[in-house]
Amino acid sequence: MITELNIGDVSVDVVFKDIKNVHLSVHPPTGRVRIAAPARMKIEAVRVFAISKLGWIKKQQSKLQAQERESPREYLERESHYLWGNRYLLRVIEGERPSGAISSHRTLVLTVPQGAAADKRRQVLEAWYRAEMKATLEALVAKWEKRLAVRVERAFVQKMKTKWGSSSPRLHYIRLNLELAKKPPACLDYVVLHEMLHFIVPNHSERFVALLDHHLPQWRAVRQALNEAPLAHTDWTH
């Protein structure tokens, strides 16, 4: 259960857990603030803690607000789009052929019905991104299943506004943000590992961090690159 605290103009999501210490985080891309607090802690004590950290919170939110954002996409000829961190120029073909997309020599060829509007072009391209990501995801999940000795029952790819990924340790489900298909492959690898590790450690405790360090020593650099990458205008401004 999430309790919402309002500290001035800052909204804080508070979750009480069976943990020893308070954990504060500011999540990209929107600057959402989350506090995980020990179950025994009183809500007023959490409020005092949040107030004491307000300067740091606002500093982190300012960094995120200043972060570069992609310009709105119109899905027009020679518009820039990204796949696995590489830039492609869009080529649009209208006609009777089946809708779809294919990447070739830094060009992303999008086939749509004659006269297709931007929304239809977006739908076709997103379906292609989803297929590309699912194909890549299958091998990554298999790799980490073997190394972590855990099993993923279902892996979902979906548009997410405030997270790169999430997990359900009880059901052994993971969810990945569709935007990851546009980022370098190491970003997806890190997020998959992060979410699968929650099957073993459900929080972000020292043990969780130690496991990240063991399995992916460079994870901090990858996380930083992911969180500093340009944000998709249409997804993060709702």
Side-chain angles (χ1 to χ4, degrees):
M1 180 179 177
I2 297 177
T3 301
E4 184 175 332
L5 279 180
N6 290 307
I7 313 296
D9 58 350
V10 175
S11 177
V12 180
D13 292 337
V14 180
V15 180
F16 291 97
K17 294 184 173 184
D18 184 20
I19 55 178
K20 293 182 179 180
N21 301 309
V22 182
H23 298 278
L24 168 65
S25 51
V26 179
H27 293 266
T30 62
R32 180 177 60 92
V33 183
R34 184 177 186 274
I35 291 178
R40 67 182 183 280
M41 195 171 182
K42 301 295 185 183
I43 190 66
E44 284 308 311
V46 177
R47 181 184 296 275
V48 171
F49 172 83
I51 291 172
S52 74
K53 299 294 184 181
L54 198 54
W56 181 84
I57 290 170
K58 289 191 173 183
K59 183 178 180 181
Q60 302 308 309
Q61 289 181 328
S62 294
K63 287 182 180 179
L64 290 173
Q65 289 166 5
Q67 190 172 333
E68 181 182 358
R69 292 180 182 271
E70 295 180 359
S71 59
R73 292 295 182 258
E74 299 179 58
Y75 304 93
L76 301 175
E77 193 77 15
R78 296 193 64 78
E79 186 177 62
S80 293
H81 289 264
Y82 290 83
L83 174 68
W84 305 129
N86 295 315
R87 177 173 173 264
Y88 291 81
L89 293 179
L90 191 66
R91 181 187 174 199
V92 182
I93 298 177
E94 298 185 24
E96 300 298 324
R97 288 187 288 178
S99 297
I102 186 171
S103 60
S104 175
H105 305 295
R106 301 295 182 177
T107 299
L108 184 54
V109 182
L110 180 66
T111 304
V112 293
Q114 191 69 38
D119 191 55
K120 174 60 178 178
R121 296 181 181 194
R122 175 186 58 78
Q123 291 174 13
V124 173
L125 194 55
E126 283 183 356
W128 177 76
Y129 273 123
R130 191 179 302 273
E132 289 289 312
M133 188 161 158
K134 284 186 174 180
T136 303
L137 186 59
E138 186 175 350
L140 289 178
V141 168
K143 177 183 75 172
W144 291 118
E145 280 181 328
K146 184 176 180 180
R147 295 189 187 181
L148 301 178
V150 299
R151 173 75 178 169
V152 174
E153 295 299 332
R154 292 192 68 180
F156 300 89
V157 175
Q158 61 190 64
K159 296 180 73 175
M160 302 170 76
K161 293 181 181 178
T162 61
K163 296 180 179 180
W164 293 117
S166 66
S167 62
S168 174
R170 182 177 63 85
L171 299 173
H172 279 216
Y173 290 175
I174 62 172
R175 299 177 186 277
L176 291 310
N177 194 320
L178 181 60
E179 285 291 306
L180 286 166
K182 302 176 185 179
K183 311 303 180 187
C187 295
L188 178 60
D189 193 32
Y190 158 66
V191 176
V192 170
L193 171 62
H194 183 114
E195 301 308 333
M196 289 178 65
L197 276 177
H198 279 314
F199 296 172
I200 301 171
V201 183
N203 51 42
H204 295 107
S205 63
E206 291 181 3
R207 184 185 175 214
F208 181 85
V209 173
L211 286 170
L212 272 177
D213 287 338
H214 174 73
H215 290 287
L216 197 68
Q218 71 275 25
W219 70 270
R220 289 177 180 83
V222 176
R223 182 184 64 178
Q224 182 176 353
L226 175 60
N227 290 338
E228 290 179 352
L231 304 177
H233 182 280
T234 53
D235 287 327
W236 306 132
T237 57
H238 294 301

